[in-house]
Amino acid sequence: MRLSGKVAIVTGAARGIGAAIAQRFAEEGAQVVLADLLAEGAETARAIRESGGQAVFCRTDVSKSEEVQALISTAVETYGGLHILCNNAAVNIPGSILDISEEIWDLTMNVNLKGMFLVSKYGIPELKKAGGGSVVNIGSANSLVAEPLLSAYVTSKGGVLMLTKSMALDFAADNIRVNCVCPGWVDTTINDAHAELLGGREHVLAGIADFQPIGRMIQPREIANVALFLASDESSAMTGSAIVPDGGMTAK
């Protein structure tokens, strides 16, 4: 029970990596507030409770300041404090800068980067009150390297890594650690639109070893295990770091 007595917020928690992280945190004893725009987040929270965990769902648009402040209040009022922030909410709309619209660019930055800023801005004061805590930002292998036809996404994820490092420096003296998880190609729906541009899901899977040397998609729970490590005291000496569970993608 590595997170026993801890209260955690996980954004983008309705499905995929976020749902896996919320489930993994709850398995290790955390009281979890799941945030997402998708109503199925309520079902994910219910499933956690049915498995013996503690979880509530708070419908949240992380790009809106007032909704993020309500999310933080929900966590504190429901469970009495806040110790862990996991910033996972993201969108991935593919295209070069000539293909995507200004609206898509703004949406990507608002969700992927501004959302992380807002959740941290309003959440970190509560971590300070608790005497410290952990912020786990979900970046991407694209925080480190680019790919074709992902201009807005890779730009936002590069920003996630630099925001992580900046926050780590700013709050180290407050016993708050801030780290970044940079996954490779994970088996979630966020990659579907990009896969279509690359010839379709089956075509991508047939050649996955060409860009992800382990030769398969990564499973959400594998990323959740890394997030758990960073959220727990097992990573007590780590802040400002990027952990890259990318199946070897960036080693090439």
Side-chain angles (χ1 to χ4, degrees):
M1 303 298 283
R2 285 173 278 183
L3 302 183
S4 179
K6 305 296 186 182
V7 179
I9 287 175
V10 182
T11 67
R15 59 191 183 191
I17 291 173
I21 291 172
Q23 290 161 356
R24 196 73 186 89
F25 283 6
E27 288 170 4
E28 291 291 334
Q31 299 164 303
V32 186
V33 179
L34 292 77
D36 208 300
L37 269 177
L38 299 175
E40 65 191 274
E43 292 303 307
T44 304
R46 180 186 58 78
I48 290 173
R49 293 193 298 272
E50 289 179 351
S51 297
Q54 298 185 65
V56 296
F57 173 64
C58 183
R59 187 181 183 279
T60 308
D61 181 344
V62 296
S63 71
K64 298 186 182 304
S65 177
E66 64 276 11
E67 295 193 23
V68 170
Q69 291 179 73
L71 168 65
I72 304 302
S73 295
T74 295
V76 173
E77 292 168 6
T78 303
Y79 294 125
L82 185 60
H83 309 90
I84 299 164
L85 298 174
C86 182
N87 287 303
N88 169 73
V91 297
N92 184 1
I93 304 170
S96 74
I97 60 169
L98 301 182
D99 300 322
I100 62 172
S101 65
E102 185 177 346
E103 288 74 21
I104 288 174
W105 179 272
D106 288 345
L107 172 65
T108 304
M109 300 306 155
N110 283 340
V111 175
N112 296 10
L113 203 47
K114 181 184 177 183
M116 196 168 289
F117 156 73
L118 289 174
V119 172
S120 302
K121 177 180 179 62
Y122 294 111
I124 282 178
E126 296 299 331
L127 270 61
K128 285 186 176 184
K129 291 177 186 177
S134 177
V135 180
V136 181
N137 294 329
I138 306 302
S140 167
N142 297 134
S143 297
L144 304 167
V145 297
E147 290 184 68
L149 303 177
L150 286 178
S151 55
Y153 181 76
V154 302
T155 302
S156 70
K157 290 299 185 176
V160 164
L161 182 53
M162 287 301 104
L163 180 59
T164 297
K165 290 179 178 293
S166 176
M167 288 165 52
L169 296 176
D170 289 341
F171 302 109
D174 297 302
N175 194 34
I176 294 171
R177 300 181 298 106
V178 188
N179 292 290
C180 188
V181 183
C182 299
W185 193 291
V186 182
D187 189 13
T188 69
T189 57
I190 197 172
N191 295 311
D192 288 352
H194 189 215
E196 287 304 310
L197 287 183
L198 298 176
R201 178 183 171 88
E202 294 308 315
H203 175 74
V204 170
L205 289 179
I208 195 168
D210 293 337
F211 65 89
Q212 193 151 284
I214 62 172
R216 63 172 176 83
M217 286 191 290
I218 299 160
Q219 295 305 305
R221 189 173 177 89
E222 294 178 283
I223 306 304
N225 287 333
V226 178
L228 171 62
F229 167 69
L230 292 175
S232 76
D233 290 339
E234 291 179 359
S235 59
S236 57
M238 295 181 64
T239 196
S241 297
I243 293 186
V244 191
D246 68 350
M249 182 186 295
T250 58
K252 298 184 70 174

